[in-house]
Amino acid sequence: SFLAISFVDICLCSNMLFSAISALNDGAAMCFKSKFLCNLWGLVWHTGQGLSVFLVALLAFARWRCMVKPLKTVQRRTVLIAIATYTTFQIFKSTLNYWYVRKDYQYTSMFLGCTVSNIDIGRLATIDKVVLFSFLYICENHGSSHTHHCLFPVNHVLLKK
């Protein structure tokens, strides 16, 4: 679990180097001019945020379980399945904007990174609207108190009606 936490933290920190380059150049897109790099940055950033929180919670749960039942070990297979399942969920959530809205990540100087915003909801098919808003509802009402870890990377305040 420590190895996974360290890996995610290294990915997030190295991801921030691109934002630092933009910040040192008065918010200019710099590295984010490439559509591929912007999409990759957005995927790593938005997936890594939730995954980092999940891994720390998983570590805390494993420690709690070891205190409650000191003679029972936490199964490595169970931990790996939990990590794989949550990672798959996070990747799905981070790419939901592309699959359902057909919108790529775009550089935003205000965030010094790539995000998705200004989605024209009127152009979506009905089933896509149901999936999109169901996912938003579930995340906002059943997520953590910090809903930005649960929402997929669409600033829903900016959604066009």
Side-chain angles (χ1 to χ4, degrees):
S1 189
F2 281 116
L3 185 63
I5 292 171
S6 298
F7 177 75
V8 170
D9 286 345
I10 287 170
C11 288
L12 289 174
C13 289
S14 58
N15 213 23
M16 289 310 297
L17 290 175
F18 298 110
S19 295
I21 292 170
S22 291
L24 292 172
N25 290 293
D26 295 324
M30 303 305 290
C31 301
F32 297 112
K33 290 178 182 174
S34 165
K35 186 177 178 180
F36 173 77
L37 185 60
C38 196
N39 283 325
L40 181 64
W41 187 95
L43 178 67
V44 170
W45 181 251
H46 292 290
T47 301
Q49 283 180 342
L51 193 56
S52 179
V53 172
F54 173 77
L55 291 172
V56 171
L58 187 64
L59 180 64
F61 176 77
R63 287 181 174 178
W64 171 80
R65 187 158 183 267
C66 287
M67 287 190 294
V68 172
K69 296 183 179 184
L71 299 177
K72 270 198 139 177
T73 59
V74 178
Q75 296 284 328
R76 174 180 230 142
R77 184 172 185 262
T78 305
V79 171
L80 291 176
I81 289 172
I83 292 172
T85 302
Y86 194 78
T87 302
T88 303
F89 170 74
Q90 282 296 112
I91 290 172
F92 170 75
K93 186 176 74 168
S94 295
T95 58
L96 192 65
N97 57 344
Y98 178 75
W99 299 114
Y100 281 97
V101 188
R102 301 284 187 239
K103 188 99 172 177
D104 287 323
Y105 287 94
Q106 296 172 346
Y107 177 73
T108 307
S109 60
M110 186 168 92
F111 301 120
L112 294 173
C114 298
T115 189
V116 178
S117 61
N118 296 329
I119 295 172
D120 187 2
I121 298 299
R123 294 179 53 204
L124 293 177
T126 303
I127 188 66
D128 292 338
K129 289 178 190 176
V130 169
V131 170
L132 181 67
F133 288 115
S134 297
F135 194 79
L136 283 171
Y137 176 79
I138 290 168
C139 283
E140 287 183 344
N141 292 306
H142 302 292
S144 65
S145 60
H146 303 286
T147 57
H148 66 277
H149 289 298
C150 189
L151 286 175
F152 71 100
V154 172
N155 186 349
H156 63 284
V157 175
L158 297 176
L159 293 175
K160 294 180 183 176
K161 293 185 180 183

